[in-house]
Amino acid sequence: MHAIAIHGGAGDLPRQMRSRAREALYHDGLACALDCGYEVLERGGNSVDAVTAAVGVLEDNPLFNAARGAALTREGAVELDAAVMDGRDQRAGAVAAVRHVKSPIELARRIMEKSHHVLLVGAGAEEFALEEGLALVPNTYFRTPERWEELDALHSGRAAPELEHSPQGTVGAVARDAAGNLAAATSTGGVVNKRTGRVGDSPIIGAGTYARNGVCAVSATGHGEYFMRIVAAHHLCAGVEYRGLALQEAMRETLARLSELGGRGGLIAVDGAGRIAMDFTTRGMFRGARDSAGLRQIAL
Ligand code: ASP
């Protein structure tokens, strides 16, 4: 049994953006990433290949808050975070606060596979990307007119204050390949109007991203500060591993713990048997799931 689930962020489309045409674009963006990751599994590829392929597609899609189209800092720049974890041996690679790496998830993977480190940030991470021959782009490449307008609306008081520091459109994927290996990947621009240097949960192993073979693989989206405080992705896996909870139950319990602190968001996970769970406490979560038993689901 092979299976993959993806998310394109917890939250909701701002009211002015809600239209059938717009929803169709999100639907198609998710379908494209889901099928791309699934194809990798179908061809016998491993779970790390599948999650990085799916996340890479969403990074390139300007509708989502990762790489191109990422949320802006309060100075109007883009700073990107990403992580990948291989459940086989629990190797992990992560990157935070990079401004020029075209595909942060690809860099996270190189860090996992080619460096002796788990997390590289800022200039050092970009130096490593350069050495690895990864594509570097000007920061303006990531900035879309919609994101600029969003920041401007906040600064001029035209946008609802709740938008500030709110999560939106982070992307992630979890997969189980035919050999039973689990992997998770997450990529984000963080929260809108964040301070320069702010790092969220996505690149923090155990908070926004986690995978352990035989247990589960998890990717989170939502208020990163809260996910970090409860070490959410690891908390979910620990519920399955040590308390014997079913995946869905462990996910509910993790989200409830988050709510107790005042945080909201969503989680996707796949367990050792290829069962998928996707749940959220926000109004919605862009998400999709597909498996070799015939499931194919996309929902906003
Ligand atoms: N969790 C991400 C962060 O806090 C934001 C999001 O999920 O949209 O950086």
Side-chain angles (χ1 to χ4, degrees):
M1 166 91 151
H2 47 276
I4 182 166
I6 62 166
H7 70 76
D12 197 12
L13 276 181
R15 206 168 297 119
Q16 73 277 14
M17 288 191 180
R18 265 181 242 150
S19 68
R20 287 215 178 280
R22 187 94 189 167
E23 285 182 8
L25 287 177
Y26 280 94
H27 183 280
D28 293 352
L30 290 168
C32 181
L34 182 68
D35 293 341
C36 169
Y38 186 77
E39 283 308 313
V40 171
L41 298 174
E42 194 71 2
R43 287 198 312 266
N46 68 38
S47 53
V48 172
D49 290 334
V51 294
T52 50
V55 165
V57 169
L58 292 166
E59 282 184 335
D60 287 342
N61 186 329
L63 291 174
F64 297 96
N65 174 16
R68 203 149 80 86
L72 303 179
T73 66
R74 64 189 193 184
E75 282 84 24
V78 166
E79 288 193 347
L80 303 164
D81 304 336
V84 61
M85 187 160 190
D86 186 339
R88 263 181 305 200
D89 45 11
Q90 295 201 279
R91 280 187 315 158
V95 58
V98 289
R99 289 177 166 234
H100 301 288
V101 179
K102 187 162 180 277
S103 174
I105 199 63
E106 182 55 32
L107 178 57
R109 185 172 182 169
R110 296 290 175 104
I111 291 168
M112 173 171 85
E113 289 175 347
K114 299 223 176 143
S115 81
H116 298 294
H117 307 298
V118 169
L119 173 62
L120 291 179
V121 305
E126 284 175 330
E127 183 68 30
F128 182 66
L130 203 61
E131 285 171 25
E132 283 296 307
L134 298 188
L136 298 180
V137 292
N139 196 253
T140 48
Y141 161 83
F142 301 109
R143 197 168 66 201
T144 60
E146 288 80 8
R147 288 294 183 190
W148 194 245
E149 163 55 26
E150 176 182 72
L151 191 69
D152 192 49
L154 251 180
H155 287 179
S156 63
R158 281 181 288 117
E162 310 83 88
L163 180 67
E164 183 159 32
H165 302 139
S166 76
Q168 260 181 25
T170 286
V171 310
V174 294
R176 179 203 195 267
D177 60 31
N181 294 311
L182 302 178
T186 314
S187 183
T188 186
V191 290
V192 185
N193 209 31
K194 67 182 182 181
R195 292 189 74 103
T196 298
R198 180 268 186 188
V199 175
D201 59 314
S202 309
I204 306 301
I205 297 304
T209 308
Y210 194 71
R212 176 161 166 76
N213 265 19
V215 185
C216 60
V218 184
S219 173
T221 170
H223 287 120
E225 281 70 9
Y226 295 92
F227 282 82
M228 286 191 270
R229 285 164 59 197
I230 68 160
V231 205
H234 181 265
H235 182 86
L236 197 168
C237 278
V240 173
E241 184 168 10
Y242 305 128
R243 293 168 61 200
L245 300 181
L247 192 66
Q248 182 66 45
E249 213 182 336
M251 186 172 280
R252 270 276 105 197
E253 197 269 340
T254 305
L255 289 170
R257 181 70 66 97
L258 202 74
S259 300
E260 279 167 25
L261 301 185
R264 291 194 306 150
L267 292 158
I268 59 169
V270 63
D271 70 9
R275 283 181 293 251
I276 288 169
M278 306 189 281
D279 205 350
F280 48 94
T281 51
T282 41
R283 272 173 61 100
M285 177 168 78
F286 299 114
R287 60 200 187 279
R290 193 166 171 190
D291 70 22
S292 53
L295 170 79
R296 186 175 182 277
Q297 180 200 348
I298 291 158
L300 309 187

